[in-house]
Amino acid sequence: DTVVALEALALYALKTYSKDGPDLPASISSEGFSHEIQVDTTNRLLLQTAQLPAIPSSYTVQAQGHGCLFLQTTLRYNIPPPRSDLTFALSVRTECIGLNAAHFPVTIQSRYTGNRVSTNMVLIKVKMLSGYSPVTKSLEELKKMPVVKKIEREVEQVTLYLDE
């Protein structure tokens, strides 16, 4: 595959290369938008970009002269879910007794509030405060709960795997 690709690139370079260099003005236009590109010997290997103002829209590309012009369009998008699609309610409560408390309980309540009948597996990661670690006895009590599928204990974090 590599040899075939290199042969194709060499043939492409042979057909498109010119000692005189390209002289190729081009334009990209749409209703209310125009962008000019000039390809010549000084910038023929330079990437030139333009941000299109409206998507979707129709754009026209016109090129005149001689040489080779490679034009590429890229569409990137990210559509975050609407704020109203909250699927979980989470509440965390701590009880710190005294200034130098060596132990204190952390109560976490989680509730599914989504539109479906049930969820897939849910992970809750609880990071410990600096200097504190989870108590094994408390984790053993959690394992007895029917929704708790698995518990992973690390030095500074506990991960709870909950069934649907």
Side-chain angles (χ1 to χ4, degrees):
D1 291 346
T2 304
V3 172
V4 172
L6 289 174
E7 285 178 353
L9 287 172
L11 183 61
Y12 176 78
L14 184 67
K15 294 205 180 265
T16 60
Y17 180 76
S18 170
K19 289 181 183 177
D20 299 334
D23 181 21
L24 195 58
S27 67
I28 303 167
S29 60
S30 177
E31 187 177 319
F33 171 77
S34 179
H35 183 77
E36 302 295 323
I37 296 173
Q38 176 65 38
V39 180
D40 56 30
T41 54
T42 63
N43 67 359
R44 67 179 170 191
L45 299 178
L46 179 69
L47 172 67
Q48 298 181 47
T49 62
Q51 203 165 21
L52 304 178
I55 303 291
S57 186
S58 294
Y59 291 91
T60 303
V61 177
Q62 292 181 338
Q64 298 175 351
H66 70 280
C68 181
L69 173 68
F70 177 72
L71 178 70
Q72 175 181 344
T73 60
T74 305
L75 176 62
R76 293 187 180 105
Y77 59 92
N78 179 19
I79 304 171
R83 289 276 185 205
S84 63
D85 286 354
L86 299 176
T87 55
F88 285 94
L90 185 69
S91 167
V92 179
R93 190 177 71 241
T94 62
E95 295 176 31
C96 189
I97 304 166
L99 294 175
N100 297 322
H103 300 278
F104 64 91
V106 176
T107 305
I108 299 172
Q109 292 180 333
S110 169
R111 184 170 38 101
Y112 175 65
T113 60
N115 297 329
R116 298 187 311 186
V117 175
S118 65
T119 67
N120 294 325
M121 182 173 280
V122 175
L123 274 70
I124 298 177
K125 291 187 175 189
V126 182
K127 294 194 177 201
M128 300 292 120
L129 292 173
S130 179
Y132 288 90
S133 62
V135 177
T136 306
K137 182 180 175 187
S138 299
L139 296 179
E140 292 301 323
E141 290 175 21
L142 278 175
K143 286 182 182 178
K144 295 176 185 175
M145 297 179 73
V147 294
V148 177
K149 186 82 167 176
K150 179 181 174 184
I151 297 175
E152 287 181 354
R153 180 182 187 220
E154 298 173 28
V155 176
E156 297 178 355
Q157 176 175 296
V158 174
T159 305
L160 305 171
Y161 294 80
L162 306 180
D163 256 339
E164 60 180 49

